[in-house]
Amino acid sequence: MADATAKSGTAQEPIPTDALLVQLTPPAGAQALLPALLQHLHSAAPHADRPVHAALSKDHGTLYAYLHFDKRTPVEKSAANALATSLRTKWPLLQDVRVSRLEQVFAVAGASASAKTVFHYTVEMDPESGWMPELSEWYDTEHMPGLAKVPGCVSASRFLNHDHGPLSLACYDLVTEETLGSPPWLAIRGTEWSSRMRPRFTNTIRTMFTLLVDSKQRN
């Protein structure tokens, strides 16, 4: 699938969507509301037939909740906005509530696919102008397949965020945080191609999350 070169957050036409990403910050000390919040997401999201894949940032307390669809579905921006509005209405103390349509462009099981996911690591970035084609080729043919083969990686996937935040969202489900510093992981990050591509990232956000709910664990 060809990558888009720009976000389409202002477009009115439906976007082919594989998941909705809900980003928000719960109020301090509000851990008790998370089960009800996740249940609301699962019941309120349009076309989302799978359990929520949700993770909480270790450093900032930001929640990322992925509502995966069973099949790619055209979704209008108004549907994403309606879900965001429902969250703000039900929980007025939630901060920075955003809902984005995600288009999946890569997914592969990892070397530790049978293990339990404990951590969720993301790398978000906008490509430097003109570099999206090569960045996509690097990501999808060398970088993500290579990282997926590292012991401790449960799965690797990448999305285009069509509404909020950087365009490219790379996701890694991990068994341990130490996977990121392991020699096999560092070897993939240190290839010649990687060294040429990484300076072409802009607006880069790297975040380590603790997984709360795993969408692969069906009810």
Side-chain angles (χ1 to χ4, degrees), residues 91-141:
W91 289 284
L93 294 180
L94 295 178
Q95 300 175 4
D96 304 321
V97 179
R98 296 175 291 170
V99 179
S100 302
R101 296 163 293 173
L102 302 183
E103 179 183 356
Q104 186 168 296
V105 293
F106 181 88
V108 68
S112 300
S114 62
K116 179 182 178 180
T117 299
V118 181
F119 297 99
H120 179 71
Y121 177 63
T122 64
V123 180
E124 301 169 75
M125 68 88 180
D126 286 315
E128 188 175 302
S129 179
W131 282 88
M132 180 54 115
E134 187 173 356
L135 278 166
S136 297
E137 183 182 3
W138 164 73
Y139 248 136
D140 300 343
T141 63

Coordinates of all heavy atoms in Angstrom, one line a residue, residues 91-141:
W91 N -16.7 12.4 30.9 CA -15.6 12.6 31.9 C -15.0 14.0 31.7 O -13.9 14.1 31.0 CB -14.6 11.5 31.8 CG -15.0 10.2 32.3 CD1 -15.2 9.7 33.6 CD2 -15.4 9.0 31.5 NE1 -15.6 8.4 33.6 CE2 -15.7 8.0 32.3 CE3 -15.4 8.8 30.1 CZ2 -16.2 6.7 31.9 CZ3 -15.9 7.6 29.6 CH2 -16.2 6.6 30.5
P92 N -15.6 15.0 32.2 CA -15.1 16.4 31.9 C -13.7 16.7 32.3 O -13.0 17.6 31.8 CB -16.1 17.3 32.6 CG -17.3 16.4 32.8 CD -16.8 15.0 33.0
L93 N -13.1 15.9 33.3 CA -11.8 16.1 33.8 C -10.7 15.5 32.9 O -9.5 15.7 33.1 CB -11.7 15.5 35.2 CG -12.5 16.2 36.3 CD1 -12.3 15.6 37.6 CD2 -12.2 17.7 36.3
L94 N -11.1 14.7 31.9 CA -10.1 14.2 30.9 C -9.5 15.3 30.2 O -10.1 16.3 29.8 CB -10.8 13.2 29.9 CG -11.3 11.9 30.5 CD1 -12.0 11.1 29.4 CD2 -10.3 11.1 31.2
Q95 N -8.2 15.2 29.9 CA -7.4 16.3 29.2 C -6.9 15.8 27.9 O -6.6 14.6 27.7 CB -6.2 16.7 30.1 CG -6.6 17.3 31.5 CD -5.4 17.6 32.3 OE1 -4.3 17.5 31.9 NE2 -5.7 18.0 33.5
D96 N -6.8 16.7 27.0 CA -6.1 16.4 25.7 C -6.8 15.3 24.9 O -6.1 14.4 24.4 CB -4.6 16.2 25.8 CG -3.9 17.3 26.5 OD1 -4.3 18.5 26.3 OD2 -3.0 17.0 27.4
V97 N -8.1 15.2 24.9 CA -8.8 14.1 24.3 C -8.7 14.3 22.7 O -9.2 15.3 22.2 CB -10.3 14.1 24.7 CG1 -11.0 12.9 24.0 CG2 -10.3 13.9 26.2
R98 N -8.2 13.3 22.1 CA -8.1 13.3 20.6 C -8.5 11.9 20.1 O -8.1 10.9 20.7 CB -6.7 13.6 20.1 CG -6.3 15.1 20.5 CD -4.9 15.3 20.1 NE -3.9 14.5 20.9 CZ -2.6 14.4 20.6 NH1 -2.1 15.0 19.6 NH2 -1.9 13.7 21.4
V99 N -9.2 11.8 19.0 CA -9.5 10.5 18.3 C -9.1 10.6 16.9 O -9.5 11.5 16.2 CB -11.0 10.2 18.4 CG1 -11.3 8.9 17.7 CG2 -11.4 10.1 19.9
S100 N -8.2 9.7 16.4 CA -7.7 9.7 15.1 C -8.0 8.4 14.3 O -8.1 7.4 14.9 CB -6.2 9.9 15.1 OG -5.8 11.1 15.8
R101 N -8.2 8.6 13.0 CA -8.4 7.4 12.2 C -7.0 6.9 11.7 O -6.2 7.7 11.2 CB -9.2 7.8 10.9 CG -10.6 8.2 11.3 CD -11.3 8.9 10.2 NE -10.7 10.3 9.9 CZ -11.0 11.1 8.9 NH1 -11.9 10.7 8.1 NH2 -10.4 12.2 8.8
L102 N -6.8 5.6 11.9 CA -5.5 5.0 11.6 C -5.6 4.1 10.4 O -6.6 3.3 10.3 CB -4.9 4.2 12.7 CG -4.6 5.0 14.0 CD1 -4.0 4.0 15.1 CD2 -3.7 6.2 13.8
E103 N -4.7 4.2 9.5 CA -4.6 3.3 8.3 C -3.4 2.4 8.5 O -2.3 2.9 8.5 CB -4.6 4.1 7.0 CG -4.5 3.2 5.8 CD -4.3 4.0 4.5 OE1 -4.4 5.3 4.6 OE2 -4.2 3.4 3.4
Q104 N -3.6 1.1 8.6 CA -2.4 0.2 8.8 C -1.7 0.0 7.5 O -2.3 -0.4 6.5 CB -2.9 -1.1 9.4 CG -1.8 -2.0 9.8 CD -2.3 -3.2 10.6 OE1 -2.8 -3.0 11.7 NE2 -2.1 -4.4 10.1
V105 N -0.3 0.1 7.6 CA 0.5 -0.1 6.4 C 1.5 -1.2 6.6 O 2.2 -1.6 5.7 CB 1.2 1.2 6.0 CG1 0.2 2.2 5.5 CG2 2.1 1.8 7.1
F106 N 1.6 -1.7 7.8 CA 2.5 -2.8 8.1 C 2.1 -3.5 9.4 O 1.7 -2.9 10.3 CB 4.0 -2.3 8.3 CG 5.0 -3.4 8.5 CD1 5.6 -4.0 7.4 CD2 5.3 -3.8 9.8 CE1 6.5 -5.1 7.6 CE2 6.2 -4.8 10.0 CZ 6.8 -5.4 8.9
A107 N 2.3 -4.9 9.4 CA 2.0 -5.6 10.6 C 2.7 -7.0 10.5 O 2.6 -7.6 9.4 CB 0.5 -5.8 10.9
V108 N 3.4 -7.4 11.5 CA 4.0 -8.7 11.5 C 4.2 -9.2 13.0 O 4.3 -8.4 13.9 CB 5.4 -8.6 10.9 CG1 6.4 -7.8 11.7 CG2 6.0 -10.0 10.6
A109 N 4.0 -10.5 13.1 CA 4.3 -11.1 14.4 C 5.7 -11.1 14.8 O 6.6 -11.2 13.9 CB 3.7 -12.5 14.4
G110 N 6.1 -11.0 16.0 CA 7.4 -10.9 16.5 C 8.0 -12.2 16.9 O 7.3 -13.3 16.9
A111 N 9.3 -12.2 17.2 CA 10.0 -13.4 17.6 C 9.4 -14.0 18.9 O 9.5 -15.2 19.1 CB 11.5 -13.1 17.8
S112 N 8.8 -13.2 19.7 CA 8.2 -13.6 21.0 C 6.7 -13.5 20.9 O 6.0 -13.1 21.8 CB 8.7 -12.8 22.1 OG 10.1 -12.9 22.3
A113 N 6.1 -13.9 19.7 CA 4.7 -13.7 19.5 C 3.8 -14.5 20.5 O 2.7 -14.1 20.7 CB 4.4 -14.2 18.0
S114 N 4.3 -15.6 21.0 CA 3.5 -16.4 21.9 C 3.6 -15.9 23.4 O 2.9 -16.4 24.3 CB 4.0 -17.8 21.9 OG 5.3 -18.0 22.3
A115 N 4.5 -14.9 23.6 CA 4.6 -14.4 25.0 C 3.6 -13.3 25.3 O 3.0 -12.7 24.4 CB 6.0 -13.8 25.1
K116 N 3.4 -13.0 26.6 CA 2.5 -12.0 27.0 C 3.1 -10.6 26.8 O 4.3 -10.3 27.2 CB 2.1 -12.2 28.5 CG 1.2 -11.1 29.0 CD 0.9 -11.3 30.5 CE 0.0 -10.3 31.0 NZ -0.4 -10.5 32.5
T117 N 2.4 -9.7 26.2 CA 2.8 -8.3 26.1 C 2.7 -7.6 27.4 O 1.7 -7.6 28.0 CB 2.0 -7.6 25.0 OG1 2.1 -8.2 23.7 CG2 2.5 -6.1 24.9
V118 N 3.8 -6.9 27.8 CA 3.8 -6.1 29.0 C 4.0 -4.6 28.7 O 3.4 -3.8 29.4 CB 5.0 -6.6 29.9 CG1 5.0 -5.8 31.2 CG2 4.8 -8.1 30.3
F119 N 4.8 -4.3 27.7 CA 5.1 -2.9 27.3 C 4.7 -2.7 25.8 O 4.7 -3.6 25.0 CB 6.5 -2.6 27.5 CG 7.0 -2.7 29.0 CD1 7.6 -3.8 29.4 CD2 6.7 -1.7 29.9 CE1 8.0 -4.0 30.7 CE2 7.1 -1.8 31.2 CZ 7.7 -2.9 31.6
H120 N 4.4 -1.4 25.6 CA 4.0 -1.0 24.2 C 4.9 0.3 23.9 O 4.8 1.3 24.6 CB 2.5 -0.6 24.2 CG 2.0 -0.1 22.9 ND1 1.9 -0.9 21.8 CD2 1.6 1.1 22.5 CE1 1.4 -0.2 20.8 NE2 1.2 1.0 21.1
Y121 N 5.7 0.2 22.9 CA 6.6 1.3 22.5 C 6.2 1.9 21.2 O 5.9 1.1 20.2 CB 8.0 0.7 22.5 CG 9.1 1.7 22.1 CD1 9.3 2.8 22.9 CD2 9.8 1.6 20.9 CE1 10.3 3.8 22.5 CE2 10.8 2.5 20.5 CZ 11.0 3.6 21.3 OH 12.0 4.5 21.0
T122 N 6.1 3.2 21.1 CA 5.7 3.8 19.9 C 6.8 4.9 19.4 O 7.4 5.5 20.3 CB 4.4 4.6 20.0 OG1 4.5 5.6 21.0 CG2 3.3 3.6 20.5
V123 N 6.9 5.0 18.1 CA 7.7 6.0 17.5 C 6.8 6.8 16.5 O 6.4 6.2 15.5 CB 9.0 5.5 16.8 CG1 9.8 6.6 16.2 CG2 9.8 4.7 17.8
E124 N 6.6 8.0 16.7 CA 5.7 8.8 15.9 C 6.6 9.9 15.2 O 7.5 10.5 15.8 CB 4.6 9.5 16.7 CG 3.7 8.6 17.4 CD 2.8 9.2 18.4 OE1 1.8 9.9 17.9 OE2 3.1 9.1 19.6
M125 N 6.4 10.1 13.9 CA 7.2 11.1 13.2 C 6.5 11.6 11.9 O 5.7 10.9 11.4 CB 8.6 10.5 12.9 CG 8.6 9.4 11.9 SD 8.8 10.0 10.2 CE 8.8 8.4 9.3
D126 N 6.9 12.8 11.5 CA 6.5 13.3 10.2 C 7.8 13.2 9.3 O 8.9 13.6 9.8 CB 6.1 14.7 10.3 CG 4.7 14.9 10.8 OD1 3.8 14.1 10.4 OD2 4.4 15.8 11.7
P127 N 7.7 12.7 8.1 CA 8.9 12.6 7.3 C 9.3 14.0 6.8 O 8.4 14.9 6.5 CB 8.4 11.7 6.1 CG 6.9 12.0 6.0 CD 6.5 12.2 7.5
E128 N 10.6 14.2 6.7 CA 11.0 15.4 6.0 C 10.5 15.4 4.6 O 10.3 14.4 3.9 CB 12.6 15.4 6.0 CG 13.2 16.7 5.5 CD 14.7 16.6 5.7 OE1 15.2 16.4 6.8 OE2 15.4 16.7 4.6
S129 N 10.2 16.6 4.1 CA 9.6 16.8 2.8 C 10.3 16.0 1.7 O 11.5 16.1 1.6 CB 9.5 18.2 2.4 OG 8.9 18.4 1.1
G130 N 9.6 15.1 1.0 CA 10.1 14.4 -0.1 C 10.7 13.0 0.3 O 11.1 12.2 -0.6
W131 N 10.8 12.7 1.6 CA 11.4 11.5 2.0 C 10.5 10.4 2.4 O 10.9 9.3 2.7 CB 12.3 11.8 3.2 CG 13.6 12.5 2.8 CD1 13.9 13.8 2.6 CD2 14.8 11.8 2.4 NE1 15.1 14.0 2.2 CE2 15.8 12.8 2.1 CE3 15.2 10.5 2.4 CZ2 17.1 12.5 1.7 CZ3 16.5 10.2 2.0 CH2 17.4 11.2 1.7
M132 N 9.2 10.6 2.3 CA 8.2 9.5 2.7 C 8.4 8.2 1.9 O 8.4 7.1 2.5 CB 6.8 10.0 2.6 CG 5.8 9.0 3.0 SD 6.1 8.3 4.6 CE 4.6 8.8 5.5
P133 N 8.6 8.3 0.6 CA 8.7 7.0 -0.1 C 9.9 6.1 0.4 O 9.7 4.9 0.6 CB 8.9 7.4 -1.6 CG 8.2 8.7 -1.7 CD 8.5 9.4 -0.4
E134 N 11.1 6.7 0.5 CA 12.2 5.9 1.0 C 12.1 5.5 2.5 O 12.4 4.4 2.9 CB 13.6 6.6 0.8 CG 14.7 5.7 1.1 CD 16.1 6.3 0.7 OE1 16.1 7.4 0.1 OE2 17.1 5.6 1.1
L135 N 11.5 6.5 3.3 CA 11.3 6.1 4.7 C 10.4 4.9 4.8 O 10.6 4.0 5.6 CB 10.8 7.3 5.4 CG 11.8 8.4 5.9 CD1 11.1 9.7 6.3 CD2 12.6 7.8 7.1
S136 N 9.3 4.9 4.0 CA 8.4 3.8 4.0 C 9.0 2.5 3.6 O 8.8 1.5 4.2 CB 7.2 4.1 3.1 OG 6.5 5.3 3.6
E137 N 9.8 2.6 2.6 CA 10.5 1.4 2.1 C 11.5 0.8 3.2 O 11.5 -0.4 3.4 CB 11.3 1.7 0.8 CG 12.0 0.4 0.2 CD 12.8 0.7 -1.0 OE1 12.9 1.9 -1.4 OE2 13.4 -0.2 -1.6
W138 N 12.2 1.7 3.8 CA 13.1 1.3 4.9 C 12.4 0.7 6.0 O 12.7 -0.3 6.5 CB 13.9 2.6 5.3 CG 14.6 2.4 6.7 CD1 15.7 1.7 6.9 CD2 14.2 3.0 7.9 NE1 16.0 1.8 8.3 CE2 15.1 2.6 8.9 CE3 13.2 3.9 8.3 CZ2 15.0 3.0 10.2 CZ3 13.1 4.3 9.6 CH2 14.0 3.9 10.5
Y139 N 11.3 1.4 6.5 CA 10.5 0.9 7.6 C 10.0 -0.5 7.3 O 10.1 -1.4 8.2 CB 9.3 1.9 7.9 CG 9.4 2.7 9.1 CD1 9.1 4.0 9.2 CD2 9.7 2.0 10.4 CE1 9.1 4.7 10.4 CE2 9.8 2.8 11.5 CZ 9.5 4.1 11.5 OH 9.5 4.8 12.7
D140 N 9.4 -0.6 6.1 CA 8.6 -1.8 5.9 C 9.4 -3.0 5.3 O 8.9 -4.1 5.3 CB 7.5 -1.5 4.9 CG 6.5 -0.4 5.5 OD1 6.6 -0.2 6.7 OD2 5.8 0.2 4.7
T141 N 10.6 -2.8 4.8 CA 11.4 -3.9 4.3 C 12.6 -4.2 5.2 O 13.1 -5.4 5.2 CB 11.9 -3.6 2.9 OG1 12.8 -2.4 2.9 CG2 10.7 -3.3 1.9

